[in-house]
Amino acid sequence: MLTLAQVLNKSAARLSGLHPAVLAAATALIERSYAVGVPILITQGLRTIAEQDALYAQGRTRPGAIVTNARGGYSYHNYGLAVDFALLLPNGWGVSWDMNRNGNQNGTRDWLEVVQHAKAIGFEWGGGWTSFKDYPHLQMSFGLSLTELRTGKKPAAAAVEAVIERIKPKEGQAVKTKMKVAIQVNGRKIADGWLEGGVTYVPARKIAEALGAQIAYHPAANTVEITTTPQKGAIS
């Protein structure tokens, strides 16, 4: 299982060049998604005008399927104000665009969980567009149209600060990274545990029983004692 640091590192290269507020928002989205057991990968961040034109040509003057209706300068990606995402699979390297996947088995589709967190942070979701729906796409316009961005206009300080305020955890409510994990002994699942802040919490009795050990709680000393049975021939 990947740690949060490892998940963040996988997206690091694609976060380069983003507007600072969008960078902070995308980082927060990765963290919040990980906290509910849905690791994600940022697959696209800043896209140059030339890259946008090449993508627009796909399915038109170049082989492949049409994937965008935006020419160079007509995408928020071109200004570092948009990202695309995918679900990161448990093997740590595979990705999925399956919008029906429910990897954390909580009854809500993983994709929509990510979108919910993204909207709470301040992203606009391409899947909500009425014409060309772009389900992996998230953007922050800061109230600016693409026409204004093409003329060189920048996001206002107040609009940027509003995004930063959304990202900040409320006082006394730090963002927690807690997720359910399966505990295995010699390849056999024996219990569920929790991974939080890089520490794995497991039921001691289940572990002891799986190892053939005795476990006892001593109230006076507030101690849990696990005693293993010495193996024949062992030197004490």
Side-chain angles (χ1 to χ4, degrees), residues 18-29 31 121 123 140 163-164 167:
L18 291 175
H19 184 283
V22 179
L23 170 60
T27 301
L29 179 62
E31 293 173 344
I121 290 170
F123 279 111
M140 287 188 173
V163 170
I164 298 299
I167 298 170

Side-chain angles (χ1 to χ4, degrees), residues 75-170:
S75 168
Y76 284 94
H77 279 289
N78 304 152
Y79 306 95
L81 302 181
V83 297
D84 294 339
F85 77 94
L87 304 175
L88 190 59
L89 296 177
N91 59 25
W93 54 266
V95 294
S96 171
W97 286 267
D98 181 1
M99 293 182 61
N100 292 315
R101 178 179 171 79
N102 183 22
N104 61 358
Q105 299 180 348
N106 67 348
T108 301
R109 288 179 287 169
D110 295 347
W111 198 275
L112 294 185
E113 283 193 83
V114 177
V115 169
Q116 288 167 5
H117 284 293
K119 288 181 176 180
I121 290 170
F123 279 111
E124 175 190 345
W125 180 41
W129 295 343
T130 55
S131 54
F132 185 89
K133 293 186 180 294
D134 192 350
Y135 295 103
H137 183 86
L138 302 167
Q139 69 182 39
M140 287 188 173
S141 67
F142 297 100
L144 295 176
S145 67
L146 287 165
T147 300
E148 291 173 315
L149 289 170
R150 287 195 297 275
T151 64
K153 194 167 184 178
K154 305 294 184 183
V160 171
E161 183 59 30
V163 170
I164 298 299
E165 285 300 316
R166 279 180 179 237
I167 298 170
K168 291 179 181 177
K170 295 180 180 179

Side-chain angles (χ1 to χ4, degrees), residues 191-214:
D192 287 319
W194 293 97
L195 178 65
E196 183 173 10
V199 178
T200 303
Y201 298 88
V202 300
R205 182 171 298 280
K206 291 289 187 180
I207 297 295
E209 291 174 350
L211 296 174
Q214 301 295 318

